Amino acid sequence: MRAEAVSDPVTHHGEGPVWNPATGRLHFVDMLAGDVLTLGADAGITRTRVGSVAAVVRPNRSGGLVLAVDRGFALLPEGADEPRRLPELWSDPGVRMNEGGCDPQGRFYAGSMAFDATPERGTLWRLDPDGGTHRVLTPVTISNGLVWSPDGHLVYYVDTPTGRVDVFDFDAARGEFLNRRPLVEIPEEHGAPDGMAIDAHGRLWVAMWGGSAVRCYSPEGELEAVVEVPVRQVTACAFGGPDLDQLYVTTSRDGLADPEPTAGALYLAETGVRGLPVHPFAGLDEGVLPG
């Protein structure tokens, strides 16, 4: 399979695509520019600046979006131009949020990392619907792909420098990750694992930073398919479209000494399989909404 560009190079560091079933639109981020991008029905792209970093975005069950920004979480109400930020989780300007996602119960998770990728300066954080925030995993280095199995009993996670996809048992009542073990070991020549999506059969589609591909693994960790992408820095992927049968892929030109002409474009691959609907954030109670 091969992915084809569906946009110009609209991002410097594209990341985190997600299909919003409430609007029938794809959102993704230009992470280090601090912008949320939305792909319209006419293939036009709109941008909303949310801060210095736009790390990850997910639909909010009550409307609008929930975000991870530079040093914490925020909400972007429907139709708003500016986010409503929750209190910062740390003060160190050398650490920022990165990838994340929502569990089946509607909690929102995002992991942090050092701007310079210093080992073990990151944490995987959780935002609950009551506004509470909790550390889920620490330390981590480059917290990246995060998805749940179709039955919600397992959670898959990428800390990129490990070169692995790990799997945990998921405690749905507490939002805790238990019994970590490796599922997939990625050979260096295939690139480094980055963002990740899951299909209706429980197969993992893993973006390969430096590997010009998205690789598909069975629930047992066996390689089953490869989607070729004609740029090196492939960052993340998500199933979208009305039938969730199109794989959208984000890419990056960040740090390239010889930028490729289409690096930073949004790509699309026809995989012949359907993805799982994204879990939305359950929303914050009125009493804890930021002003």
Side-chain angles (χ1 to χ4, degrees):
M1 290 178 284
R2 186 171 177 86
E4 303 293 339
V6 293
S7 81
D8 293 329
V10 292
T11 61
H12 179 77
H13 184 54
E15 271 279 10
V18 61
W19 182 259
N20 188 342
T23 62
R25 299 288 182 267
L26 183 88
H27 306 294
F28 57 112
V29 299
D30 194 352
M31 185 179 287
L32 302 178
D35 292 342
V36 174
L37 286 71
T38 301
L39 180 68
D42 60 355
I45 292 174
T46 59
R47 305 177 75 103
T48 303
R49 183 167 173 79
V50 297
S52 60
V53 171
V56 59
V57 57
R58 286 293 182 270
N60 191 335
R61 193 177 295 165
S62 58
L65 304 170
V66 63
L67 312 167
V69 288
D70 45 1
R71 293 191 288 276
F73 296 108
L75 297 177
L76 187 65
E78 196 166 358
D81 293 326
E82 294 186 5
R84 301 166 70 178
R85 290 172 173 258
L86 295 174
E88 288 189 349
L89 297 174
W90 64 88
S91 59
D92 183 349
V95 176
R96 64 168 174 84
M97 282 293 201
N98 203 49
E99 261 278 24
C102 289
D103 68 23
Q105 291 69 39
R107 309 176 188 98
F108 182 46
Y109 301 71
S112 61
M113 62 171 286
F115 274 95
D116 63 3
T118 299
E120 299 189 346
R121 289 188 64 191
T123 297
L124 181 64
W125 294 87
R126 188 183 80 230
L127 173 65
D128 292 344
D130 65 1
T133 54
H134 307 271
R135 291 177 176 86
V136 178
L137 288 176
T138 191
V140 299
T141 300
I142 302 178
S143 191
N144 247 313
L146 180 67
V147 294
W148 278 258
S149 62
D151 63 9
H153 293 162
L154 300 174
V155 58
Y156 304 97
Y157 176 67
V158 170
D159 183 0
T160 294
T162 67
R164 301 192 311 263
V165 179
D166 289 342
V167 59
F168 299 77
D169 299 320
F170 181 60
D171 185 332
R174 298 173 178 269
E176 294 179 352
F177 297 7
L178 307 170
N179 304 321
R180 184 175 191 168
R181 61 267 189 197
L183 179 71
V184 181
E185 300 272 359
I186 310 292
E188 283 189 24
E189 61 268 26
H190 290 172
D194 202 320
M196 185 165 52
I198 190 166
D199 68 25
H201 300 286
R203 293 177 296 193
L204 300 170
W205 297 74
V206 185
M208 294 295 166
W209 176 268
S212 301
V214 175
R215 292 180 175 266
C216 172
Y217 298 92
S218 72
E220 294 73 38
E222 299 297 323
L223 180 65
E224 293 200 345
V226 177
V227 178
E228 297 178 352
V229 185
V231 296
R232 282 167 285 174
Q233 295 182 163
V234 182
T235 57
C237 56
F239 286 97
D243 296 320
L244 295 179
D245 58 354
Q246 299 173 315
L247 187 72
Y248 288 93
V249 181
T250 50
T251 63
S252 173
R253 61 198 304 109
D254 186 49
L256 289 177
D258 54 338
E260 301 148 318
T262 60
L266 179 69
Y267 286 81
L268 178 65
E270 302 288 351
T271 63
V273 300
R274 297 181 67 173
L276 288 177
V278 67
H279 302 299
F281 179 54
L284 291 179
D285 298 334
E286 281 298 321
V288 296
L289 283 172

